[in-house]
Amino acid sequence: MEIVHVYTKLREEFGRQAIFSDRPAELLVDVLPDPSLGLQFIEKTPRDQALQACLDMSEHQVNTERFESDSCGINHVEGGWPKDVNPQEMEQTIRFRKKVEKDESYINSTLHLGSVMEHCNRQNNAVDIYQVYFEDEEEVEESLEPPSAKTINVFRDPNEVKRTVTGLSWHPDSGRKLAAAYSCLEFQKTSKDMSLDSYIWDVENPNRPEMTLKPASPLVCLDYNPKDSHTLVGGSYNGQIAYWDTRRGSQPVEFSSVEQSHRDPVYKIIWLQSKTGTDAFSASTDGQVLWWDVRKLSEPTERLVLDLGREGNLDRALGAISLEFEATMPTKFMVGTEQGVVVSCNRKAKTPAEKIVCTYDGHHGPVYALQRNPFFPKNFLTVGDWTARIWSEDIKESSIMWTKYQMSYLMDACWSPVRPSVFFTVKMDGVLDVWDILFKQNDPTLSLKVCDEALYSLRVQDNGRLVACGSQQGGATLLEICSGLSTLQKNEKSLLAAMFERETKREKILEARQREIRLKERSRSEQSREEEGGREEGEESPDQLIVRAENDFYSVVETELRKRREREDEANRSQASHPDSLEHQEEEGSREPDQDTGQGEALSSSLKPRQ
């Protein structure tokens, strides 16, 4: 049985009948003007608006389907032999070759091909087919595009409880892999659900990590071996050192014992330039720098305590938070401390006290990043508090260049491996700054907001094009820098060398002037202290001065009176012996001028005859 439902509708509800043929115009409605409607008219303010005589276009970004390619190979075997000749049998091939060489056509073909090959060889000898034309013009040509960077991929922590990306390391050979260390540096915020794993990512595949590293404690830092790309070494939160060989799986091949390791988290570990390629050294906030051989991690091969008193006292040691090693200077290394001091050390010193060479003090807080310029190793970059500073080994008092204080805390920095004047910094407001000190020193050449959370780590690939930034919420952002900031410019090395030399000379002059001022102030203060000491030793009170003056006065008076009495006694004795000459002496005595300066009755009697 078929069920049919019928919809009914009146014809008048269909509207006007549609006629699909040409016809003349027809008047349907004639609406006459109504003056009463004019009172309801509202005048509006006229507005001019520009119109573009083109279509509106919009731009969108979409993820295209990924094309996966596989590398295949083909094995070529010797061919061209007849079916009855086996190429593996030497006797058959020799017999067939002799038969062919006796043929006249073979000789003619060989002569013809020989002339052709001779012509080609002469052409190759006369013309360099690999010559690069307009090479000089390409170097002179400068890119006029503004500095820029674009995000390529974001590698996110696959765990539910997100952790901070505290360390990054690029694969040394191809740069197609990025190793990231994940840990939570805030002790109170750690939980049981927090994963301990760290990962190795493939640059082309951000969906899942290529390999998982499973340490016994969260990794704070890690580093690829530059001589063996399959091996990594990492520093853990509990102070242990772990060693991986990616060919053996996710578990560490060996790790150091807790008793012989650091007491605090290992903030930096670096491979050393050695013949075996198995040596590394690490730094921690417990104040120690330890050297390791990954073939035997049971105990460190060498130990240095960062005690500036050079007594090896671990209680007074400075906590190390960054480390620097340059392969061209195998005996030197530098350590950045929590107290803002950079310690320059010499590993091959005779005594432990001589290993600490000098210090550079320039930051108010921990030195989070420390790296030498790859083109000028005597100049190094430090980052701490709100500024980045460039130092010269010759100047101990102050840095030769520095950025102005930023509004947010700087957490990491590194030099560009291809451009000597470019360095990168990351801040806690999620901004990546690219500085070109030859272009301008006051502000960064490029500032890019990478993410909304704080950035903690930074690494640049060896070609200078790719930059990886690690954030607080476990995101590792991969950025591609424009060619202007990743291509060596003309005369850049010489210009930067002149700038460093000029700034070093200026700081030396200022340092000498400050030293001279300090010496003058010191000599002036010593002189004033001596004068004050002299016054304190010989100074007398007013009462003592009065008593001393009275004593001097009375002593002078007594001396004069004694002299006067002696003269009078002599005169009396002479009068007694010659009484006739008394009158004559009195007359002469009245005529002689008064030569005595004493006081008393004799002085008044000598003045009476003149009255």
Side-chain angles (χ1 to χ4, degrees):
M1 175 177 161
E2 236 181 89
I3 300 175
V4 179
H5 187 78
V6 179
Y7 293 91
T8 59
K9 191 174 183 181
L10 298 177
R11 176 64 186 84
E12 61 184 9
E13 295 178 2
F14 278 94
R16 184 175 175 79
Q17 181 181 3
I19 300 176
F20 301 100
S21 61
D22 294 335
R23 57 198 178 94
E26 179 183 357
L27 180 62
L28 299 177
V29 179
D30 186 9
V31 180
L32 297 176
D34 187 358
S36 61
L37 297 176
L39 300 176
Q40 301 178 8
F41 181 75
I42 301 175
E43 294 185 1
K44 293 185 178 180
T45 304
R47 184 179 63 179
D48 296 333
Q49 184 176 359
L51 297 178
Q52 189 76 13
C54 64
L55 297 176
D56 293 336
M57 306 293 291
S58 63
E59 183 179 357
H60 302 278
Q61 292 182 351
V62 295
N63 287 329
T64 56
E65 294 183 1
R66 186 175 301 278
F67 175 75
E68 297 182 0
S69 59
D70 296 332
S71 298
C72 302
I74 299 176
N75 292 327
H76 296 274
V77 296
E78 187 177 1
W81 298 95
K83 294 181 179 180
D84 56 345
V85 176
N86 186 5
Q88 305 298 329
E89 296 290 337
M90 186 175 295
E91 294 182 359
Q92 296 184 16
T93 56
I94 292 174
R95 193 182 306 115
F96 181 78
R97 188 176 287 112
K98 287 182 179 180
K99 179 182 176 182
V100 172
E101 288 176 355
K102 291 179 181 179
D103 192 357
E104 293 182 358
S105 60
Y106 171 77
I107 298 174
N108 296 331
S109 300
T110 304
L111 292 175
H112 175 69
L113 292 175
S115 61
V116 175
M117 289 301 299
E118 183 181 6
H119 174 70
C120 293
N121 289 331
R122 288 181 176 179
Q123 274 189 335
N124 290 337
N125 294 332
V127 180
D128 184 9
I129 62 174
Y130 300 106
Q131 181 181 0
V132 179
Y133 296 98
F134 310 110
E135 185 176 3
D136 298 335
E137 284 74 5
E138 289 180 357
E139 290 183 359
V140 174
E141 182 181 357
E142 296 182 359
S143 177
L144 300 177
E145 62 175 353
S148 61
K150 60 180 180 180
T151 303
I152 297 179
N153 277 328
V154 179
F155 309 101
R156 304 189 184 279
D157 187 1
N159 298 284
E160 293 183 2
V161 181
K162 305 301 179 184
R163 303 158 297 162
T164 304
V165 182
T166 53
L168 295 167
S169 180
W170 283 99
H171 193 275
D173 291 344
S174 61
R176 306 286 295 178
K177 298 178 184 178
L178 178 67
Y182 296 83
S183 64
C184 180
L185 299 179
E186 299 182 39
F187 180 75
Q188 290 81 0
K189 293 189 177 181
T190 56
S191 63
K192 296 180 180 179
D193 300 332
M194 189 171 289
S195 174
L196 305 179
D197 299 341
S198 293
Y199 305 103
I200 298 177
W201 298 88
D202 185 355
V203 172
E204 299 295 334
N205 184 15
N207 298 324
R208 62 180 181 275
E210 183 182 83
M211 186 176 181
T212 303
L213 304 177
K214 295 184 175 296
S217 177
L219 288 181
V220 181
C221 60
L222 45 72
D223 192 27
Y224 264 112
N225 191 340
K227 285 192 173 183
D228 185 2
S229 59
H230 298 286
T231 59
L232 296 95
V233 66
S236 303
Y237 187 79
N238 64 351
Q240 286 183 290
I241 304 299
Y243 167 65
W244 278 272
D245 189 338
T246 56
R247 294 166 293 189
R248 298 189 187 183
S250 299
Q251 298 295 332
V253 177
E254 193 174 355
F255 51 85
S256 62
S257 61
V258 178
E259 295 80 10
Q260 298 293 333
S261 302
H262 291 281
R263 302 180 183 179
D264 285 354
V266 182
Y267 280 94
K268 192 69 176 178
I269 187 165
I270 299 178
W271 288 95
L272 290 169
Q273 195 78 9
S274 61
K275 294 180 180 179
T276 59
T278 58
D279 296 332
F281 72 131
S282 58
S284 171
T285 50
D286 62 351
Q288 296 183 97
V289 178
L290 303 180
W291 282 263
W292 307 88
D293 189 341
V294 296
R295 296 173 298 183
K296 183 182 179 183
L297 287 176
S298 58
E299 60 179 358
T301 59
E302 196 176 339
R303 188 185 303 265
L304 174 64
V305 179
L306 296 173
D307 179 14
L308 297 185
R310 293 173 173 80
E311 297 177 0
N313 189 347
L314 195 59
D315 295 334
R316 294 203 304 264
L318 303 181
I321 204 168
S322 58
L323 200 59
E324 196 283 330
F325 173 76
E326 175 62 36
T328 58
M329 302 177 179
T331 61
K332 292 184 178 181
F333 66 94
M334 305 181 80
V335 184
T337 64
E338 287 182 304
Q339 290 75 16
V341 179
V342 177
V343 184
S344 178
C345 305
N346 184 9
R347 186 186 177 188
K348 296 301 180 182
K350 296 181 180 178
T351 61
E354 295 177 357
K355 289 186 178 181
I356 298 178
V357 180
C358 61
T359 59
Y360 304 86
D361 189 2
H363 289 285
H364 304 297
V367 182
Y368 287 112
L370 172 62
Q371 187 186 16
R372 292 184 185 271
N373 190 304
F375 298 89
F376 303 96
K378 289 187 67 176
N379 300 99
F380 57 93
L381 172 71
T382 61
V383 157
D385 48 63
W386 300 271
T387 182
R389 294 179 178 272
I390 300 174
W391 302 74
S392 173
E393 278 190 347
D394 302 332
I395 306 296
K396 309 291 189 302
E397 300 292 330
S398 172
S399 55
I400 61 173
M401 298 179 68
W402 54 87
T403 65
K404 65 181 181 181
Y405 279 80
Q406 306 294 310
M407 298 302 294
S408 186
Y409 218 75
L410 274 69
M411 298 304 298
D412 203 355
C414 59
W415 290 100
S416 170
V418 293
R419 287 200 56 188
S421 65
V422 173
F423 65 91
F424 304 83
T425 60
V426 290
K427 298 184 291 187
M428 291 197 72
D429 57 358
V431 174
L432 167 70
D433 288 334
V434 185
W435 300 78
D436 186 353
I437 55 178
L438 281 181
F439 180 60
K440 57 180 177 180
Q441 294 87 27
N442 296 329
D443 299 305
T445 303
L446 173 64
S447 289
L448 187 66
K449 181 74 171 179
V450 178
C451 56
D452 294 330
E453 61 259 17
L455 295 176
Y456 273 79
S457 53
L458 171 69
R459 283 296 175 274
V460 184
Q461 201 182 27
D462 290 339
N463 60 9
R465 293 299 298 270
L466 297 180
V467 179
C469 305
S471 69
Q472 188 178 15
Q473 297 298 321
T477 305
L478 190 62
L479 301 162
E480 183 178 3
I481 306 298
C482 65
S483 59
L485 292 173
S486 58
T487 305
L488 185 65
Q489 303 297 315
K490 184 181 180 182
N491 300 329
E492 184 175 356
K493 290 183 181 179
S494 58
L495 291 175
L496 187 65
M499 174 182 284
F500 282 162
E501 184 179 357
R502 182 183 69 245
E503 295 299 324
T504 304
K505 188 179 298 183
R506 180 179 66 86
E507 287 297 326
K508 283 183 178 180
I509 293 172
L510 294 176
E511 185 179 347
R513 183 181 177 187
Q514 290 294 328
R515 193 183 302 114
E516 184 179 354
I517 291 173
R518 285 196 298 268
L519 288 174
K520 287 182 179 180
E521 290 179 353
R522 190 180 306 161
S523 61
R524 191 181 298 113
S525 61
E526 290 177 356
Q527 184 177 357
S528 62
R529 280 198 301 270
E530 290 178 358
E531 291 177 356
E532 289 177 359
R535 282 198 299 269
E536 289 175 358
E537 292 176 359
E539 197 174 46
E540 295 177 349
S541 63
D543 296 337
Q544 292 177 344
L545 291 174
I546 292 173
V547 173
R548 181 181 170 190
E550 289 178 353
N551 294 334
D552 292 343
F553 174 74
Y554 289 123
S555 63
V556 171
V557 171
E558 290 177 358
T559 303
E560 292 298 329
L561 290 175
R562 186 171 59 252
K563 290 180 180 179
R564 179 64 65 183
R565 283 194 297 270
E566 291 176 356
R567 284 198 297 270
E568 288 178 353
D569 292 340
E570 290 179 359
N572 292 333
R573 284 197 295 273
S574 63
Q575 287 179 2
S577 59
H578 303 284
D580 297 336
S581 61
L582 179 61
E583 184 178 354
H584 177 71
Q585 288 179 0
E586 288 179 356
E587 291 178 358
E588 287 186 357
S590 63
R591 288 194 301 267
E592 289 179 358
D594 183 19
Q595 298 178 357
D596 296 329
T597 58
Q599 297 180 8
E601 297 177 357
L603 182 60
S604 60
S605 63
S606 64
L607 295 175
K608 282 180 182 179
R610 295 187 180 181
Q611 293 177 357

